Amino acid sequence: MDKLDTIVKTSNYLSKTIDDFSNFFRPNKTKQEFDIEIELDRALTLVGASLKFNYIEVKKEFEKCGKVYGLPNEFSQAVMNILTNAKDILVERKIDNPLVTIRIYE
């Protein structure tokens, strides 16, 4: 059931991403308060399989996580891009025991 939940979450996220992309150039984006840890976890869920497939460990160090004001989907997309770039370079350079550490602090 865990894999099915991931598939459903991923498809919902991708659907929202398509909607957000189609609205990307509209000037009236509405910023909102969002939980940074939830958005990071959402991004990790989407790229997690690729990281695991390449034996890349992800270490999360979240201190005093809270809410921030901004565009949550764009934040998640930026995190996904950073994680994907990290994966690509770790694989390309054939790093032993690859590790990505994500730290959140105030």
Side-chain angles (χ1 to χ4, degrees), residues 4-85:
L4 181 59
D5 288 340
T6 301
I7 291 169
V8 169
K9 285 179 188 175
T10 302
S11 64
N12 287 338
Y13 177 78
L14 291 174
S15 176
K16 183 172 180 357
T17 300
I18 290 168
D19 291 342
D20 288 341
F21 184 74
S22 65
N23 295 324
F24 190 74
F25 294 105
R26 290 190 185 166
N28 291 336
K29 288 186 178 184
T30 304
K31 292 182 180 180
Q32 63 190 53
E33 193 174 81
F34 65 92
D35 187 312
I36 197 165
E37 186 174 353
I38 290 172
E39 294 305 319
L40 271 167
D41 281 337
R42 188 167 77 147
L44 278 169
T45 297
L46 293 173
V47 296
S50 179
L51 295 170
K52 284 180 187 177
F53 179 79
N54 289 287
Y55 305 101
I56 299 171
E57 180 186 351
V58 176
K59 182 178 176 184
K60 299 188 310 185
E61 297 177 0
F62 295 172
E63 297 175 20
K64 202 170 189 176
C65 296
K67 298 199 181 274
V68 295
Y69 187 72
L71 302 166
N73 199 52
E74 280 81 352
F75 175 79
S76 291
Q77 289 174 352
V79 170
M80 285 188 341
N81 288 340
I82 292 167
L83 291 171
T84 300
N85 290 343

